[in-house]
Amino acid sequence: MVNSKVRVGMMEKESQFYKRIKRYRVDPSSSNISNPVPDYYGEKIGSVGGYRQWLKDQRAFNKRRQVPV
């Protein structure tokens, strides 16, 4: 069994992490075939480096979305 203090701490960190995912993910309504949404739910994040890459991908999508064609 996991210590209850550790479990509570893990649940709190996980909750904060998912709130950040929700706050920084892109709006999928602006996607198209040439500019698909990058990992909307953050399912491929496996480490801190993966999270940072996910953030970069989200920013790049938003930047491409705002550039007029």
Side-chain angles (χ1 to χ4, degrees):
M1 242 9 201
V2 176
N3 188 348
S4 63
K5 289 181 183 179
V6 173
R7 183 176 50 212
V8 170
M10 286 176 54
M11 290 175 65
E12 185 178 319
K13 285 184 179 184
E14 192 172 278
S15 173
Q16 291 172 359
F17 174 72
Y18 287 124
K19 284 179 185 176
R20 284 194 303 272
I21 292 290
K22 249 176 131 172
R23 184 173 69 205
Y24 290 117
R25 67 183 172 199
V26 297
D27 179 20
S29 65
S30 61
S31 69
N32 58 32
I33 293 173
S34 63
N35 191 19
V37 175
D39 192 19
Y40 182 75
Y41 293 105
E43 296 168 330
K44 297 177 184 173
I45 298 172
S47 64
V48 174
Y51 174 68
R52 290 179 180 154
Q53 184 62 47
W54 181 84
L55 284 173
K56 288 177 186 177
D57 293 343
Q58 302 299 307
R59 279 189 233 118
F61 178 86
N62 281 331
K63 189 180 260 189
R64 286 191 308 260
R65 180 177 60 113
Q66 293 172 354
V67 175
V69 177

